[in-house]
Amino acid sequence: PEELFGPLSIRKLEEDCYERMMTGYLPEASVAFVDEIFKANSAILNTLLSIMNERVFHNGSMPRETPLICLVGASNEMPESEELEALFDRFLLRRWVSPLSSDGFLSYIGGMSGNEELKPQLPPPSTAAITHEDVLTVRRVEIPEEVMDRLLLIRHFTGVLKDPPCYVSDRRWKKIMYLLQVLAATSGRATVVESDLLMLRHCLWSHPSHLPVLSKFLKTLLKQRDQT
């Protein structure tokens, strides 16, 4: 827990208070990356769920709001225990990364041969913040009835996938709706279009085997729309 949430305050312990020094740690981060996230123990999992879902960190007896905007997790293994399912469900966008191909491997290790020029240092990232008006713009994006009808079909399809099952909680569906609005707004549109639904192949899978099945279904669904 110390690596994520900060070390315990010795001074506070002397005062019979169990509090952490959070400066520079996850409870005060707006963007965070957690490696091997599915190896976390129960205490870390419960705290992560509170931060990701409620944006609250309980430090001692006082719950504190966190400024978290985005949390990225990485893992070399899929979650297999039931206690990890709730955490996995909180990750809306999921990206499966396959091992390097032979060409990709040679390109990857080629930078260690000493034959390549050093790349120039990248400029510092922009510090532009998301404004309240940006949020309002996203919330005003319309989701038309034909898109809602397609979403019902997609929801039914995920419900019948078996071996393994494809579980998508109602909570994640609600976040998917907001993601579609973000996609439209950042594309300069005031309305979600059916082609935006292709993004859902990165949101709906519970196991890597679902990826090609979902991609095929979504493309077929949109192709049928084009032919009508």
Side-chain angles (χ1 to χ4, degrees):
E2 287 78 11
E3 295 180 3
L4 282 177
F5 311 125
L8 288 173
S9 171
I10 303 300
R11 182 174 62 84
K12 288 293 184 179
L13 283 176
E14 293 173 349
E15 299 173 4
D16 293 331
C17 295
Y18 191 88
E19 293 186 12
R20 297 187 180 276
M21 297 184 291
M22 304 181 299
T23 303
Y25 290 89
L26 180 58
E28 293 193 352
S30 56
V31 177
F33 172 77
V34 182
D35 198 12
E36 294 297 349
I37 194 165
F38 296 131
K39 293 186 182 298
N41 58 37
S42 297
I44 292 177
L45 287 176
N46 291 333
T47 304
L48 281 174
L49 287 174
S50 296
I51 292 177
M52 294 175 69
N53 201 44
E54 288 86 26
R55 298 298 194 264
V56 169
F57 176 71
H58 295 272
N59 193 25
S61 60
M62 295 294 295
R64 301 173 182 268
E65 292 187 1
T66 66
L68 186 67
I69 297 173
C70 172
L71 188 144
V72 178
S75 176
N76 285 315
E77 57 194 32
M78 293 294 298
E80 297 181 354
S81 64
E82 290 185 1
E83 64 178 2
L84 292 173
E85 289 181 0
L87 179 66
F88 190 38
D89 184 62
R90 297 307 195 277
F91 287 96
L92 178 58
L93 290 168
R94 297 146 179 217
R95 182 68 175 175
W96 176 261
V97 182
S98 301
L100 291 171
S101 64
S102 297
D103 291 340
F105 175 73
L106 292 175
S107 176
Y108 177 67
I109 65 173
M112 304 175 63
S113 64
N115 297 325
E116 292 190 358
E117 296 182 3
L118 293 177
K119 296 181 179 179
Q121 186 175 3
L122 296 175
S126 171
T127 56
I130 298 174
T131 66
H132 180 64
E133 184 58 36
D134 293 332
V135 175
L136 292 178
T137 299
V138 169
R139 293 299 189 187
R140 295 189 192 107
V141 170
E142 178 189 1
I143 303 179
E145 185 176 347
E146 56 267 26
V147 173
M148 299 295 289
D149 290 340
R150 298 292 182 183
L151 284 168
L152 281 175
L153 292 174
I154 296 168
R155 182 174 183 264
H156 175 74
F157 181 76
T158 59
V160 299
L161 284 178
K162 305 295 181 184
D163 299 323
C166 183
Y167 173 68
V168 186
S169 68
D170 292 338
R171 177 195 300 110
R172 191 137 52 93
W173 276 113
K174 187 173 183 179
K175 290 183 177 180
I176 285 171
M177 300 295 284
Y178 185 58
L179 177 65
L180 291 172
Q181 290 179 304
V182 170
L183 179 57
T186 54
S187 300
R189 290 185 271 107
T191 304
V192 174
V193 296
E194 292 187 35
S195 59
D196 292 335
L197 297 175
L198 286 173
M199 172 67 76
L200 270 58
R201 67 184 186 273
H202 299 302
C203 304
L204 299 176
W205 62 273
S206 300
H207 188 272
S209 62
H210 295 148
L211 277 166
V213 180
L214 286 167
S215 294
K216 181 179 180 180
F217 175 77
L218 291 170
K219 291 176 181 178
T220 302
L221 191 66
L222 296 180
K223 187 176 180 179
Q224 290 174 350
R225 183 263 311 186
D226 292 335
Q227 292 174 348
T228 57

